[in-house]
């Protein structure tokens, strides 16, 4: 089975490629191909997609072109599409970004599966990595805020299973990590993984926003949402955030039977990233 992986150089896509070793795979890239299996194309320009002979596709979310991408895929003979979606759809918080992609795929008539991760553990590398490397400190306004962050490798493993195995069609897999863990305890796990004492400095939301905006990248782009100034759709946030213990948190184990990776394992996997200079 020939599989097209879109978003192939992304944090999840590159791990999906690794998990598909042994299969015939095309890895979509918008820049010049530089590795075996990479092919040039852009989801924003559906006509550029190399769909000939493709039977299954891992679909990175680009809502503006999703309907046309799916239409061309079905016409080319794609019979299975696995979307990289978001747990925000499950909780009714996203009706404008991931949901339109899901709906386009569901309306196509092919086998579909949605992979809906919640908070990425990887976010903490983007948010805290620079200050940990430079100063050995994390500045955050919510030391006791806790959630069930998910390892990007768990997301990829579920996507690979949905692409290559039967039994996932028509299902939306909402993925979280296996433990409710606070920001303070996350910092402690990173400290243990890198063998370096880290200081947690509680700051105001306003100060955290200043720091994230100055940092740039993911931190700046996500500052208002992560700090509670905006809701998921970019509107003004009016609700106090807190985990709901009545909600059942599903993990990779519920899909594949394999234990979900802990935050401590993730910190160990990325210890070199917290130590290297960039």
């Amino acid at each position: 089975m020939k599989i097209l992986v879109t978003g192939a150089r992304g944090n999840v896509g590159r791990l999906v490629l690794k998990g598909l070793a042994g299969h015939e795979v095309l890895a979509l890239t918008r820049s010049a191909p530089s590795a075996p299996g990479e092919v040039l194309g852009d989801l924003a320009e559906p006509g550029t997609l190399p769909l000939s002979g493709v039977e299954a596709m891992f679909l990175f979310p680009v809502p503006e072109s999703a309907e046309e991408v799916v239409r061309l895929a079905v016409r080319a003979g794609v019979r299975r599409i696995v979307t990289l979606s978001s747990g925000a759809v499950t909780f009714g918080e996203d009706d404008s970004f991931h949901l339109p992609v899901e709906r386009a795929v569901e309306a196509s008539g092919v086998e579909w599966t949605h992979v809906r991760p919640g908070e990425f553990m990887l976010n903490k590398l983007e948010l805290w990595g620079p200050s940990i490397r430079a100063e050995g400190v994390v500045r955050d306004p919510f030391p006791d805020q806790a959630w069930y962050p998910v390892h990007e490798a768990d997301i990829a493993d579920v996507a690979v299973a949905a692409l290559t195995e039967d039994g996932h069609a028509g299902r939306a897999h909402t993925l979280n990590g296996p433990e409710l863990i606070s920001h303070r305890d996350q910092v402690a796990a990173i400290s243990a993984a890198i063998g370096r004492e880290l200081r947690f400095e509680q700051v105001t939301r306003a100060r955290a926003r200043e720091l994230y905006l100055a940092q740039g990248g993911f931190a700046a782009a996500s500052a208002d949402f992560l700090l509670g100034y905006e809701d998921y759709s970019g509107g003004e946030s009016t609700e106090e955030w807190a985990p709901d213990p009545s909600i059942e948190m599903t993990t990779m184990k519920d899909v594949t039977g394999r234990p979900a990776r802990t935050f401590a394992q993730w910190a160990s996997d990325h210890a070199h990233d917290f130590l290297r200079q960039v």
Side-chain angles (χ1 to χ4, degrees), residues 30-244:
R30 292 181 295 174
S31 54
S34 59
E38 286 192 342
V39 291
L40 191 63
D42 190 339
L43 284 169
E45 301 179 25
T48 67
L49 300 184
L51 294 167
S52 178
V54 171
E55 299 172 78
M57 178 167 61
F58 179 65
L59 183 58
F60 186 84
V62 179
E64 296 82 3
S65 60
E67 289 187 1
E68 180 65 6
V69 167
V70 171
R71 186 186 70 81
L72 292 177
V74 172
R75 190 171 73 180
V78 174
R79 58 182 179 83
R80 178 176 293 179
I81 299 177
V82 176
T83 66
L84 178 59
S85 187
S86 170
V89 177
T90 302
F91 296 115
E93 298 172 349
D94 176 357
D95 60 5
S96 60
F97 190 80
H98 294 92
L99 184 59
V101 180
E102 289 194 5
R103 286 176 172 169
V105 174
E106 291 176 16
S108 69
V110 302
E111 294 182 11
W112 58 265
T113 307
H114 306 314
V115 181
R116 296 175 175 172
E119 179 192 356
F120 282 43
M121 294 177 183
L122 200 59
N123 289 356
K124 298 307 165 48
L125 177 60
E126 301 289 343
L127 294 174
W128 299 341
S131 63
I132 286 176
R133 288 188 291 266
E135 306 172 72
V137 63
V138 169
R139 297 181 178 90
D140 184 278
F142 309 122
D144 299 315
Q145 187 179 89
W147 192 245
Y148 301 82
V150 60
H151 197 307
E152 65 274 10
D154 283 6
I155 303 165
D157 283 353
V158 169
V160 168
L163 286 164
T164 61
E165 302 171 1
D166 294 328
H168 299 276
R171 298 177 64 186
H173 296 310
T174 301
L175 299 178
N176 299 282
E179 58 188 340
L180 182 67
I181 182 169
S182 70
H183 289 188
R184 193 186 301 279
D185 287 341
Q186 290 174 29
V187 173
I190 296 168
S191 176
I194 66 177
R196 178 184 179 188
E197 185 176 351
L198 299 177
R199 180 165 55 89
F200 193 113
E201 181 181 325
Q202 186 173 0
V203 297
T204 65
R205 283 199 310 158
R207 178 57 178 155
R209 186 175 186 273
E210 290 176 359
L211 293 169
Y212 288 170
L213 292 177
Q215 186 170 305
F218 172 84
S222 307
D224 285 345
F225 171 66
L226 294 174
L227 296 171
Y229 290 105
E230 291 182 353
D231 62 21
Y232 192 89
S233 299
E236 183 178 357
S237 179
T238 58
E239 296 183 4
E240 289 292 327
W241 182 93
D244 184 347

